[in-house]
């Protein structure tokens, strides 16, 4: 085995070629393979020169000795980018630390002369200077030389640095295909693939273009179809408009002819009316004379009738006077009879009064006789008066007591109103807090309403949400409490019993689906917990109170807060506290501190025992800014209860006094009635005696007032007789006047009858005359109307004739053209038909609005554009067809060789896996045959007999399995390889010993064949008893403080010394 060792120390190292390498061995280098590598001030090297072999090169050395530095030199020296290596992103970082410039020189095998590529790296401006065969060159020239030799340091299938080993497994199928094409495929294969992708992209663009243009063409055709309809409608509208124009020309002539005919008819009728008017005037004269004679005779009859009427009226007046006189006499007789009846009634009443008076006197006498001698009533009257006086005094006292009670009750009610008003103010504050709770936490408010309705269900005290129960003594301190107590606890219900709390939460959360919080106060009360130190000790630091003393709350709430939040031991300070906070934290050892605007939390680290404090700004208070003074409220409620009790007591006393007053009033009435009865009993006898005397006087007067009814009756009869004689005389005179009046009325009736007949004759004549007059007036009116109509029609005829000539654009002496006459014959001959036809045509024309000559122009323009688009579309379709043909041709040139190449890779890959008792496959993955940018190589492996084939991914296989798969794939490419060399850096790190040995044997076997490309295998360690090959070159990289300097390294001398020592050992 030929071996070459390369040494490196911290200052520098240099590698040397195998001493016995012959010219024949050097001739085995594939064109483009690496013959020599020189590094100066590169990474950890001062200077080192490496001479690899033409086949497998094993670069072995401990970690950190500089193996991968050789790989980096190959990459950067062959125009690779620093980012591909994965160590640094700037090339200047690869220069040895403390140096301003580094150098990498690589000699590549080529016929007839090798190529030497040199790269000088500048640290200052991070730039590189390139040389080819010691002559300055550009990066582009270097890349062209490297590409000509098919060297691809950015292809993981050819160059796999240490930091990119895991990245190979993360290559997508598409990336792996491209890398394989570049690595082992013919030069034209990757070019064909790129052409196919380009052609397919162009084909897709042309397909989209043709599809879009086809859609545009369809839309334009649809649009031109609409335009065609518009053009047809335009021509149709023009026909309608021409017909309308001709109808409008004929209409004035038809109208003129109609008016002319009407003029002739009216003229004839006017002449007939004139003759008829003349005849009627001649016939009316005799009738007027006869009417005048009748009127004179009628007037004479009317005069006679008026005379008779006056006589009848005079006679009737006299009859009326006689009748009035008779009625007056009857009235006088009635008055005499009435006076006599009144006398009789008066006498009857007098007699009845006398009888009644006698009866009353007898009754009073009987009562007076029955009445005993009046006893002495004075003593009884005095006793009643004394009792009345006592009652009045007692009533006065009761009235005074009632007045005093009313005044006291009024004062108490005023005080009660004042207390209620104050309580209402406090309740309004509570209502505001409840409303705030309802707005912010609706579920909690619903639970609160349920709790108030169902308090009897709980065994022990249940407190409402803390934000309602806590009442600040000073609202300015609310921010401390709200920043100290969590928002969840602020809206939590507080229970004394765990069972009550669980029952409440089941009802709220499970049954009513409400999101509520609840806490349970500790079994042993903490409300009275004593602070660790009195607050007076902290006064000098600006502390003025503990949190507990800033508010009032029910006992369970206070107990819970002391237990949970230790409010009894958290002091509150001022700005003074803030100004000396470091001293406060250091000296007081407090865990929580409040200043005017901040909260401090102090903790001691469990590891470093250092004190760490954090401070946060206090939030503004939201819930507790409105507080109720519970002591004041309790005092007011007690005061209200006392006032209510006092008012109740006053009402009871008031009721008792009213009942006593009512009783005294009733007794007073009884005594007064008794006194009245006593007085009446004393006065009754005197009253009866006085009444009897008065009645005797009245009876005497009634007896003196007696009337003589017989005398009165005789006097009335004499007066009635005299009146009856006067009535007889008046009746005789009335009968004479009635006869005279009847005679006069008879004569008047005869005259009226005569007048009626004459009037009838006169009316008949007047009616006939009036009718004749009306007919005459109608005839005159008819004549005037006809004459006026004739005049108007004459003027209309002239106007219509001028209008018709103007419409047809004719001069006054010009006749209607023959073309107009011909057109007029095809049109209706009446105005009604013309108007109907004209309206119909106008309606049809109006339905075709919005059309003008531009429609035709636009139609022609669109037709031209469609023709141009069709030609353009045909051109693009031909271009698309050409692309499809090109794709078909290139695809055949690319796909068939690619499939054969992948089959060869699959055969090698499968054989490698079979030799390891595993299964591996490589195939061409195609999602869509026409999407060439989606083609890829899929690697599937199976390392266990119980598992199935799985695609090689970054996640499914283990690190060793991925390393084995990657190495075997690269080995499969090795025999087919077109690239001059391949580099693999520490790929065996994740393999188990068995797989590592198998993979090493395959690498040696494959890479040491004839006509294979150069192979660099970098590893920090090798297994024992591996199989080696004569064509292998092993490069050992050493590192240490006792290394020889490069100038003293002589491999031949080392070998001679070793042989000499060996002979000495044998002797």
């Amino acid at each position: 085995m030929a071996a070459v060792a390369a040494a490196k120390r911290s200052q520098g190292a240099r590698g040397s070629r195998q001493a016995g390498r012959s010219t024949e061995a050097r001739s085995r280098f594939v064109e483009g393979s690496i013959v020599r590598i020189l590094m100066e001030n590169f990474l950890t090297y001062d200077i080192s020169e490496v001479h690899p072999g033409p086949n497998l090169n094993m670069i072995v050395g401990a970690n950190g000795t500089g193996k991968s530095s050789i790989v980096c030199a190959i990459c950067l020296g062959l125009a690779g980018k620093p980012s591909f290596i994965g160590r640094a992103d700037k090339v200047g970082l690869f220069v040895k630390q403390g140096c301003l410039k580094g150098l990498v020189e690589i000699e590549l095998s080529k016929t007839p002369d090798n190529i030497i590529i040199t790269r000088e790296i500048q640290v200052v401006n991070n730039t590189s200077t390139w040389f080819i065969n010691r002559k300055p060159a550009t990066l582009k020239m270097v890349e062209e030389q490297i590409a000509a030799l098919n060297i691809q340091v950015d292809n993981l299938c050819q160059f796999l640095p240490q930091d990119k080993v895991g990245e190979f497994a993360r290559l997508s199928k598409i990336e792996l295909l491209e890398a394989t094409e570049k690595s082992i495929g013919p030069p034209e294969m990757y070019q064909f693939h790129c052409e196919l992708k380009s052609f397919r992209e162009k084909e897709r663009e042309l397909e989209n273009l043709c599809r879009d243009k086809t859609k545009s063409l369809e839309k334009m055709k649809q649009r031109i179809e609409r335009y065609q309809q518009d053009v047809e409608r335009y021509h149709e509208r023009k026909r309608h408009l021409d017909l309308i124009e001709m109808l409008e020309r004929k209409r004035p002539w038809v109208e003129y002819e109609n008016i002319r005919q009407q003029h002739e008819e009216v003229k004839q009728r006017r002449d007939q009316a004139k003759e008829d008017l003349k005849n009627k005037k001649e016939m009316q004269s005799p009738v007027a004379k006869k009417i005048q004679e009748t009127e004179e005779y009628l007037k004479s009859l009317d005069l006679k009738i008026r005379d008779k009427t006056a006589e009848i009226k005079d006679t009737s007046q006299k009859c009326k006077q006689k009748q009035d006189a008779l009625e007056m006499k009857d009235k006088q007789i009635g008055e005499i009879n009435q006076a006599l009846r009144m006398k009789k009634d008066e006498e009857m009443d007098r007699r009845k009064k006398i009888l009644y008076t006698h009866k009353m006197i007898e009754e009073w006498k009987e009562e007076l006789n029955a009445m005993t001698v009046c006893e002495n009533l004075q003593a009884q009257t005095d006793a009643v008066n004394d009792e009345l006086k006592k009652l009045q005094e007692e009533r006065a006292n009761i009235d005074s007591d009632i007045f005093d009670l009313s005044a006291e009750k009024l004062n108490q009610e005023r005080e009660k109103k004042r207390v209620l008003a104050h309580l209402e103010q406090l309740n309004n504050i509570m209502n505001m807090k409840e409303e705030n709770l309802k707005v912010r936490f609706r579920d909690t408010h619903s639970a609160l309403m349920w709790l108030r309705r169902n308090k009897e269900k709980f065994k022990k005290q249940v407190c409402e949400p803390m934000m309602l129960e806590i009442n600040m003594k000073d609202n300015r301190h609310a921010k401390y409490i709200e920043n100290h107590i969590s928002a969840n606890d602020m809206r939590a219900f507080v229970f004394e019993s765990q069972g009550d709390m669980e029952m409440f939460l089941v009802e709220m959360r499970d049954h009513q689906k409400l999101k509520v919080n609840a806490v349970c106060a500790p079994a042993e009360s903490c409300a009275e917990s004593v602070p660790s130190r009195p607050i007076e000790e902290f006064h000098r630091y600006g502390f003025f109170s503990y949190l507990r003393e800033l508010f009032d709350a029910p006992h369970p709430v206070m107990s819970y807060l002391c237990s949970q939040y230790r409010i009894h031991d958290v002091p509150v300070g001022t700005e003074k506290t803030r100004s000396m906070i470091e001293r406060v934290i250091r000296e007081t050892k407090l865990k929580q501190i409040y200043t005017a605007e901040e909260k401090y939390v102090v903790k001691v680290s469990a590891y470093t025992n250092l004190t760490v404090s954090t401070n946060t700004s206090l939030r503004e208070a939201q819930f507790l800014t409105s507080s109720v003074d519970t002591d004041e409220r309790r005092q007011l409620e007690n005061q209200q209860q006392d006032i209510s009790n006092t008012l109740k007591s006053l009402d009871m006393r008031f009721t008792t006094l009213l009942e006593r007053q009512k009783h005294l009033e009733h007794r007073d009435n009884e005594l007064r009635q008794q006194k009245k009865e006593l007085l009446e009993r004393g006065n009754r006898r005197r009253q009866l005696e006085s009444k009897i005397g008065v009645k005797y006087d009245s009876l005497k007067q009634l007896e003196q007032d007696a009337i003589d009814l017989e005398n009165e009756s005789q006097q009335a009869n004499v007066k009635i007789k005299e009146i009856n004689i006067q009535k007889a005389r008046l009746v005789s005179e009335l009968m004479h006047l009635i006869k005279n009046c009847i005679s006069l009325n008879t004569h008047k009736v005869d005259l009226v009858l005569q007048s009626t007949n004459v009037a009838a004759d006169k009316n008949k004549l007047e009616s006939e005359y009036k009718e004749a007059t009306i007919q005459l007036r109608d005839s005159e009116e008819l004549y005037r109307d006809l004459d006026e109509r004739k005049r108007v029609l004459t003027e209309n005829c002239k106007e219509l004739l001028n209008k018709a000539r103007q419409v047809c654009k004719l001069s006054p002496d010009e006749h209607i053209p023959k073309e107009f006459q011909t057109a007029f014959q095809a049109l209706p001959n009446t105005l009604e038909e013309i108007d109907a036809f004209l309206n119909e045509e106008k309606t049809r024309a109006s339905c075709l609005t919005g059309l003008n000559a531009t429609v035709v122009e636009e139609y022609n323009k669109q037709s031209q554009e469609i023709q141009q688009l069709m030609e353009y579309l045909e051109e693009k379709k031909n271009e698309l067809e050409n692309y499809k043909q090109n794709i078909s041709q290139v695809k055949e040139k690319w796909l068939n060789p690619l499939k054969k190449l992948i089959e060869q890779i699959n055969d090698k890959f499968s054989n490698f896996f079979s030799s390891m008792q595993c299964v591996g496959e490589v195939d061409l993955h195609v999602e869509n045959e026409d999407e060439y940018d989606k083609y890829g190589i899929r690697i599937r492996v199976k390392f266990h007999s119980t598992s199935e084939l799985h695609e090689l991914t970054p996640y499914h296989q283990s690190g060793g399995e991925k390393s084995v798969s990657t190495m075997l794939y690269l080995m499969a490419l090795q025999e087919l390889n077109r690239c001059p060399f391949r580099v693999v850096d520490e790929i065996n790190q994740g393999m188990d010993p068995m797989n590592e040995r198998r993979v090493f044997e395959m690498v040696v076997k494959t890479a040491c064949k004839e006509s294979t490309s150069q192979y660099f295998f970098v590893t920090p360690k090798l297994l024992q008893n591996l199989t080696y090959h004569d064509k292998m070159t092993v490069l050992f990289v050493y590192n240490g403080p006792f290394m020889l300097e490069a100038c003293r390294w002589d491999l031949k001398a080392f070998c001679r010394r070793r042989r000499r020592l060996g002979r000495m050992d044998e002797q």
Side-chain angles (χ1 to χ4, degrees), residues 122-343:
Q122 307 293 333
V123 176
V124 176
N125 50 6
N126 198 48
T127 58
S128 299
T129 305
W130 295 91
F131 300 89
I132 298 178
N133 294 330
R134 307 290 195 278
K135 295 179 181 180
T138 63
L139 176 62
K140 186 176 181 182
M141 294 170 62
V142 174
E143 289 175 344
E144 289 175 355
Q145 288 287 343
I146 292 171
L149 296 173
N150 198 32
I151 297 173
Q152 305 166 19
V153 293
D154 58 346
N155 189 342
L156 294 180
C157 290
Q158 181 176 344
F159 196 91
L160 192 62
Q162 178 181 350
D163 296 324
K164 296 288 184 177
V165 172
E167 201 169 297
F168 183 87
R170 288 194 291 272
L171 284 177
S172 66
K173 294 185 282 291
I174 298 170
E175 293 171 339
L176 184 59
L177 173 60
E178 292 180 354
T180 303
E181 286 178 332
K182 294 177 183 178
S183 178
I184 65 171
E188 66 275 4
M189 179 176 287
Y190 182 69
Q191 182 180 353
F192 285 155
H193 191 185
C194 293
E195 287 180 1
L196 280 173
K197 290 190 284 186
S198 176
F199 287 163
R200 176 53 187 159
E201 182 64 26
K202 191 65 179 177
E203 180 188 23
R204 192 182 295 110
E205 292 177 1
L206 287 172
E207 286 176 348
N208 294 334
L209 178 63
C210 291
R211 183 165 53 253
D212 295 340
K213 293 299 181 183
T214 302
K215 291 181 180 178
S216 299
L217 182 62
E218 290 298 325
K219 291 181 180 178
M220 292 178 70
K221 287 182 178 180
Q222 294 175 3
R223 194 182 305 119
I224 200 171
E225 286 178 2
R226 291 196 298 271
Y227 277 135
Q228 185 174 2
Q229 295 174 1
D230 292 342
V231 171
E232 292 175 357
R233 291 170 65 222
Y234 172 78
H235 290 305
E236 182 180 357
R237 183 172 183 270
K238 192 172 184 307
R239 289 195 299 272
H240 289 306
L241 292 176
D242 292 341
L243 185 56
I244 289 170
E245 184 180 1
M246 192 57 65
L247 286 169
E248 289 178 345
R249 286 176 177 173
K250 182 176 181 179
R251 191 180 188 286
W253 290 103
V254 175
E255 191 174 1
Y256 163 74
E257 183 61 26
N258 291 340
I259 297 300
R260 190 188 65 76
Q261 291 177 3
Q262 292 178 17
H263 176 268
E264 293 299 328
E265 293 176 359
V266 168
K267 182 180 178 183
Q268 292 177 4
R269 289 174 60 195
R270 187 202 66 169
D271 295 340
Q272 292 176 1
K274 184 176 181 181
E275 185 66 25
D276 185 44
L277 179 61
K278 181 180 178 183
N279 294 332
K280 286 180 179 179
K281 284 182 178 180
E282 291 177 352
M283 293 172 62
Q284 195 174 15
S285 181
V287 177
K289 185 178 180 181
K290 191 174 182 180
I291 289 173
Q292 186 177 2
E293 292 175 353
T294 304
E295 284 180 350
E296 291 177 355
Y297 181 61
L298 187 60
K299 286 180 182 178
S300 64
L301 287 176
D302 288 340
L303 184 58
K304 291 179 181 179
I305 290 171
R306 280 198 298 273
D307 292 341
K308 291 296 181 183
T309 301
E311 291 180 5
I312 291 170
K313 184 177 181 182
D314 184 53
T315 304
S316 296
Q317 187 68 29
K318 291 178 180 179
C319 289
K320 181 71 170 55
Q321 292 174 357
K322 297 299 180 183
Q323 287 176 352
D324 291 342
L326 284 172
E327 288 177 359
M328 182 59 69
K329 296 300 178 182
D330 290 337
K331 188 176 181 182
Q332 290 175 358
I333 293 171
E335 289 175 353
I336 292 170
N337 289 328
Q338 180 66 24
L340 181 59
R341 282 195 298 275
M342 289 177 65
K343 293 288 183 180

Side-chain angles (χ1 to χ4, degrees), residues 33-91:
S33 58
I34 299 173
V35 177
R36 179 175 59 85
I37 304 170
L38 175 64
M39 297 168 285
E40 291 184 7
N41 297 328
F42 187 79
L43 291 174
T44 57
Y45 290 102
D46 288 339
I47 181 169
S48 178
E49 188 173 34
V50 180
H51 295 270
N55 296 102
L56 176 61
N57 292 275
M58 298 292 297
I59 302 177
V60 184
N63 289 328
T65 57
K67 303 183 300 301
S68 296
S69 298
I70 299 174
V71 177
C72 294
I74 295 173
C75 178
L76 297 178
L78 296 177
K81 296 180 180 179
S83 59
F84 181 73
I85 303 173
R87 284 197 172 189
D89 57 348
K90 294 180 181 179
V91 70

Side-chain angles (χ1 to χ4, degrees), residues 837-854:
F837 198 8
L838 190 61
N839 289 333
E840 182 180 353
E841 292 301 315
K842 285 183 177 179
T843 302
R844 290 178 179 176
S846 65
C847 293
L848 304 172
T849 56
L851 302 174
N852 49 43
T854 57

Side-chain angles (χ1 to χ4, degrees), residues 1003-1020:
V1003 170
V1004 171
K1005 182 179 179 181
T1006 303
C1008 293
K1009 289 182 178 180
E1010 293 291 336
S1011 69
T1012 58
S1013 59
Q1014 192 178 35
Y1015 205 101
F1016 290 89
F1017 190 88
V1018 183
T1019 179

Side-chain angles (χ1 to χ4, degrees), residues 322-334 719-735:
K322 297 299 180 183
Q323 287 176 352
D324 291 342
L326 284 172
E327 288 177 359
M328 182 59 69
K329 296 300 178 182
D330 290 337
K331 188 176 181 182
Q332 290 175 358
I333 293 171
K719 291 179 182 179
I720 290 171
K721 185 176 181 181
E722 290 178 357
I723 291 171
N724 285 332
I725 292 171
Q726 294 174 3
K727 283 178 64 178
R729 188 170 56 252
L730 289 172
V731 169
S732 175
E733 293 174 357
L734 178 60
M735 292 302 296

